[in-house]
Amino acid sequence: MATGCAWFLVLGSVFLCNLMKILLPSISSFLTKMVQKDAEQESEMRTEIQQMKKEQSSISMMDEFARYARLERKINKTTDKLKTHVQSRTAQQAKMKWVVNIVFYILQAALMVSLIWKYYADPVTVVPSKWIAPVERLVAFPTGVAGCGVGITCWLVVCNKVITLGLSAIS
Amino acid sequence: MEAAEEKTGSMSAAQLRAEKRRRKLLLNSEDRMNRIVGFAKNEPDHSAAALRPAEPRFHLDLDRSEPWSSPSPRPSPFLSEAPGVRSHTATPERRGSPLPDFGQPRRASLEGDVGGLRHRAKAERPSDEAGGSPRPGLHQYLSRFDDAMKLRSQLANEKPEQDGGSDVEEFDPFRVFRLVGSVLLAVFVRVFVCKYLSIFAPFLTLELAYMGLSKYFPKVEKKTKTTVLTAALLLSGIPAEVISRSMDTYRRMGDVFSDLCVYFFTFIISHEILTLFGSETP
């Protein structure tokens, strides 16, 4: 027979999975920030470039050409270094996002499979078959006992749809 | 004296150079005029044009209705203008892309374009035969290649938008009304009706009622996303109208399915709550 709170357990699991899916980008960016140790270097380089540009704008190219050209070279060199840094950071972010997504989907699949494994023979909730005629067999799948109640697969699909709608309405 | 001679010599050298330049310009003037008057070459198409070195010989771009040298008009299948009328203004993507993505006015122009496509394709064959165009298959291939490139760029543009808000459901007033109605009906059915008949009978009645009520709600034009599937279907020759209608039907089925899920979910939750309170009350 159905466990008392089986329907609630399935509902809670589906809610958690959908919530995690929405939070995945934040999680991946948080993990990226944790992994990256030289994030400050980038802001330092940006500040340095800004200061050099400010200095360069204050000097006249005609009067102090050598100094101007030297500053220009420094700016170019620092800009190239910053570009390389940003590229590597972006690549690392993309890689982290990919890893986080893969891990999440594996965990989600494992959770769903374990729920189905646990409740495949028992209905998550019991309702009289007369109420859900004429699709009682479909609703009760895969319990195999028509008139027993709601099967795990039907309840999973329904919960997933409703929670997706609810979360998209909220967000 | 010598300075005057040098000056005369340099002037004549300058004059000679000017003369040479003038002759070169005059030689190319006809080609230049053809280029200016014959078609409007779009700048974004340059990158696509770079991939097609043979294109200038046969089919330059979709705005051009006449090729460089061929006397007979060779219009693009995606132009809705009559043959011989040149358009300098917009690419087919802007004027009326075959892609079902810009709402009804564009869909109308899209369907017109695709109708023009068929009409043009039929008209092109006799005109090609009459005009003696040597490679109609190649023209068709090149025009399809152009369309594929445009679809690809459109998909690339739409991809960042989709990544940001993938699978986000849109809640227009009618949709909210449907969902709220389903919830209320489920509670009502659980409390009063379920002992007498199946719970799906009232749901079907509700859906029939929604079909009738839909015309009283403001219609919200939903932007059809260009996906790889729609692009592939378009390129395989399926009319855009068929694709639009199928997607519309699919969307309606999705709405009914959402209503059913919300209804069933609310029914089960109400049942569990009533069972819980029923078991708790002495």
Side-chain angles (χ1 to χ4, degrees):
Chain A
M1 291 302 289
T3 316
C5 291
W7 64 273
F8 187 72
L9 178 68
V10 173
L11 177 63
S13 309
V14 171
F15 177 75
L16 201 66
C17 288
N18 279 283
L19 193 66
M20 289 296 288
K21 203 191 277 189
I22 291 173
L23 295 174
L24 272 181
S26 322
I27 293 170
S28 61
S29 62
F30 174 72
L31 287 172
T32 312
K33 276 178 194 164
M34 274 180 59
V35 167
Q36 267 179 346
K37 285 174 186 133
D38 52 354
E40 289 171 5
Q41 198 183 3
E42 191 178 323
S43 60
E44 278 173 16
M45 278 194 275
R46 283 186 203 274
T47 320
E48 200 184 325
I49 289 169
Q50 265 179 353
Q51 279 172 353
M52 284 194 285
K53 279 188 174 167
K54 209 172 167 184
E55 195 187 334
Q56 194 186 40
S57 63
S58 67
I59 57 176
S60 163
M61 192 171 84
M62 304 294 182
D63 297 337
E64 295 175 89
F65 180 74
R67 192 173 154 208
Y68 189 92
R70 220 177 298 128
L71 266 173
E72 182 77 27
R73 279 197 293 274
K74 268 190 191 170
I75 289 171
N76 290 341
K77 191 177 167 189
T78 317
T79 310
D80 289 339
K81 210 169 149 188
L82 177 67
K83 268 188 199 167
T84 317
H85 196 267
V86 166
Q87 273 173 2
S88 74
R89 179 174 60 82
T90 313
Q92 205 171 15
Q93 258 178 353
K95 200 174 167 186
M96 181 59 74
K97 188 178 168 187
W98 184 78
V99 165
V100 165
N101 279 343
I102 296 276
V103 166
F104 168 73
Y105 285 122
I106 289 172
L107 288 174
Q108 187 185 26
L111 178 65
M112 294 299 135
V113 166
S114 59
L115 281 173
I116 292 172
W117 186 268
K118 188 174 161 61
Y119 292 110
Y120 85 93
D122 298 328
V124 291
T125 183
V126 178
V127 292
S129 64
K130 194 176 69 169
W131 290 5
I132 51 176
V135 292
E136 59 266 26
R137 281 190 183 273
L138 183 67
V139 171
F141 181 84
T143 59
V145 183
C148 199
V150 181
I152 179 81
T153 47
C154 176
W155 188 237
L156 270 172
V157 166
V158 167
C159 286
N160 198 31
K161 186 71 187 172
V162 170
I163 286 167
T164 309
L165 280 170
L167 287 175
S168 60
I170 293 168
S171 62
Chain B
M1 187 90 164
E2 287 173 357
E5 279 175 4
E6 277 175 13
K7 201 177 174 186
T8 316
S10 67
M11 273 179 66
S12 59
Q15 274 178 346
L16 278 170
R17 281 199 297 273
E19 186 62 33
K20 269 189 197 170
R21 227 178 293 129
R22 198 175 65 82
R23 275 185 202 157
K24 197 176 169 188
L25 286 170
L26 283 171
L27 277 173
N28 287 337
S29 67
E30 198 185 325
D31 291 341
R32 203 174 302 111
M33 277 309 288
N34 282 339
R35 248 185 282 161
I36 291 165
V37 175
F39 64 98
K41 202 168 188 180
N42 290 317
E43 286 179 0
D45 286 344
H46 281 190
S47 60
L51 298 172
R52 302 189 290 275
E55 192 184 334
R57 294 180 63 197
F58 300 108
H59 181 236
L60 284 165
D61 75 348
L62 300 180
D63 278 344
R64 218 177 117 78
S65 58
E66 284 181 7
W68 278 30
S69 53
S70 166
S72 63
R74 198 176 299 133
S76 159
F78 283 96
L79 284 176
S80 59
E81 59 198 7
V85 176
R86 293 166 192 168
S87 165
H88 301 283
T89 51
T91 62
E93 197 175 311
R94 275 180 262 148
R95 288 193 298 109
S97 162
L99 306 165
D101 56 352
F102 297 115
Q104 212 164 13
R106 290 216 186 197
R107 196 193 287 182
S109 71
L110 148 72
E111 290 169 0
D113 283 346
V114 176
L117 153 67
R118 291 239 183 81
H119 187 70
R120 182 85 11 79
K122 284 180 191 165
E124 199 178 7
R125 279 185 225 117
S127 74
D128 278 346
E129 286 165 10
S133 171
R135 301 187 183 102
L138 183 62
H139 299 152
Q140 197 179 3
Y141 168 75
L142 286 170
S143 63
R144 287 226 185 251
F145 187 82
D146 288 338
D147 302 328
M149 295 303 289
K150 285 201 164 80
L151 282 168
R152 179 174 160 250
S153 62
Q154 192 153 4
L155 277 170
N157 288 337
E158 288 212 4
K159 202 185 170 195
E161 296 167 11
Q162 286 179 0
D163 281 346
S166 62
D167 296 335
V168 170
E169 310 265 355
E170 289 171 14
F171 288 97
D172 52 295
F174 186 54
R175 190 128 196 251
V176 174
F177 175 73
R178 286 171 79 120
L179 295 172
V180 169
S182 303
V183 167
L184 294 173
L185 182 70
V187 173
F188 178 79
V189 164
R190 174 59 191 88
V191 174
F192 300 111
V193 179
C194 63
K195 298 180 192 73
Y196 307 109
L197 76 163
S198 166
I199 63 171
F200 296 112
F203 176 74
L204 289 172
T205 312
L206 181 71
E207 288 300 315
L208 286 170
Y210 285 154
M211 279 182 209
L213 287 172
S214 63
K215 60 186 174 197
Y216 296 110
F217 282 81
K219 264 196 175 175
V220 176
E221 284 300 327
K222 292 191 181 181
K223 186 183 172 188
T224 315
K225 290 179 215 167
T226 305
T227 58
V228 176
L229 177 66
T230 52
L233 289 171
L234 275 167
L235 288 171
S236 64
I238 294 173
E241 192 186 330
V242 171
I243 295 173
S244 304
R245 289 229 173 124
S246 307
M247 285 176 73
D248 202 35
T249 308
Y250 181 74
R251 204 181 298 122
R252 282 174 202 267
M253 283 167 61
D255 288 344
V256 172
F257 181 70
S258 305
D259 293 342
L260 178 63
C261 288
V262 167
Y263 176 82
F264 191 71
F265 179 84
T266 314
F267 180 84
I268 296 292
I269 296 290
S270 340
H271 172 68
E272 290 296 328
I273 291 171
L274 284 172
T275 311
L276 187 70
F277 283 123
S279 64
E280 280 182 359
T281 52

